[in-house]
Amino acid sequence: PPIDLAAMFLHGDKLFGAYIVVALGGGLCVFLAWKFIKVVTGKPLYAALTASILGLSASHLVFGSLIETYIFLAAGLLLFFLLLLEKSPVSTLVLASLPVVGITYSNFAQNTLAFFTTKPSLKAVFRFVASTLVMLVLLGLLNNLLFPGAHPLFFIPSSLLAEEQNI
């Protein structure tokens, strides 16, 4: 949908719509990095300089230019860490974790470890992980209702066989 929205302003050109959405994802990463560092240090100029280093790094320029989902993963992780730093409620942290798990399952471990670091309670971590997984299952079921056959359910082990090519 974001690509279709951008394509509306580009006379239906979805390729350039994708380029714009990916570039906006890269810009969002730089902004979130600036905000995170500003909250930690309280120095906006230092935060701007450090976020500029992120924005000018080769990896960020590549992933912010190619049509790939990793820039959105970086934005999701930065958003989660910023919300964690600002002591957001667990429900907000769960919502921020959904895109991270939706892009790459293994990166949810970073969210879980960061959550445990700030709230070192196994009960709280279990509730966080369980809430995120329940929301993922519900969203997966909703996706399959709206788009039958578009993608198998992620929690069925046989659907993970497609990931074997990435090993």
Side-chain angles (χ1 to χ4, degrees), residues 134-155:
V134 166
M135 288 297 294
L136 279 171
V137 168
L138 293 175
L139 287 172
L141 292 172
L142 178 65
N143 180 65
N144 283 8
L145 285 175
L146 295 175
F147 306 102
H151 195 282
L153 296 171
F154 76 93
F155 50 87

Side-chain angles (χ1 to χ4, degrees), residues 41-76:
T41 65
K43 298 177 181 178
L45 181 60
Y46 177 77
L49 292 172
T50 308
S52 297
I53 292 171
L54 168 70
L56 293 172
S57 68
S59 62
H60 196 76
L61 288 172
V62 167
F63 287 120
S65 303
L66 297 176
I67 299 176
E68 181 54 60
T69 58
Y70 288 115
I71 199 68
F72 303 112
L73 175 63

Side-chain angles (χ1 to χ4, degrees), residues 16-97:
F16 282 108
Y19 288 145
I20 288 173
V21 170
V22 169
L24 288 173
L28 179 63
C29 286
V30 173
F31 171 75
L32 291 171
W34 170 79
K35 180 84 172 151
F36 181 87
I37 297 166
K38 183 177 165 255
V39 168
V40 170
T41 65
K43 298 177 181 178
L45 181 60
Y46 177 77
L49 292 172
T50 308
S52 297
I53 292 171
L54 168 70
L56 293 172
S57 68
S59 62
H60 196 76
L61 288 172
V62 167
F63 287 120
S65 303
L66 297 176
I67 299 176
E68 181 54 60
T69 58
Y70 288 115
I71 199 68
F72 303 112
L73 175 63
L77 287 170
L78 282 166
L79 177 64
F80 179 82
F81 285 118
L82 180 63
L83 292 171
L84 196 61
L85 185 65
E86 293 179 341
K87 297 184 182 356
S88 296
V90 175
S91 59
T92 306
L93 296 172
V94 167
L95 290 176
S97 294

Side-chain angles (χ1 to χ4, degrees), residues 89-167:
V90 175
S91 59
T92 306
L93 296 172
V94 167
L95 290 176
S97 294
L98 293 175
V100 172
V101 183
I103 294 171
T104 308
Y105 302 142
S106 60
N107 282 306
F108 181 58
Q110 294 176 35
N111 288 11
T112 305
L113 289 172
F115 185 86
F116 180 71
T117 302
T118 59
K119 299 175 192 263
S121 162
L122 288 178
K123 185 177 178 182
V125 171
F126 178 78
R127 285 193 343 220
F128 167 70
V129 170
S131 300
T132 305
L133 293 177
V134 166
M135 288 297 294
L136 279 171
V137 168
L138 293 175
L139 287 172
L141 292 172
L142 178 65
N143 180 65
N144 283 8
L145 285 175
L146 295 175
F147 306 102
H151 195 282
L153 296 171
F154 76 93
F155 50 87
I156 297 175
S158 63
S159 68
L160 297 175
L161 292 176
E163 291 292 321
E164 189 174 286
Q165 68 188 13
N166 297 323
I167 296 174

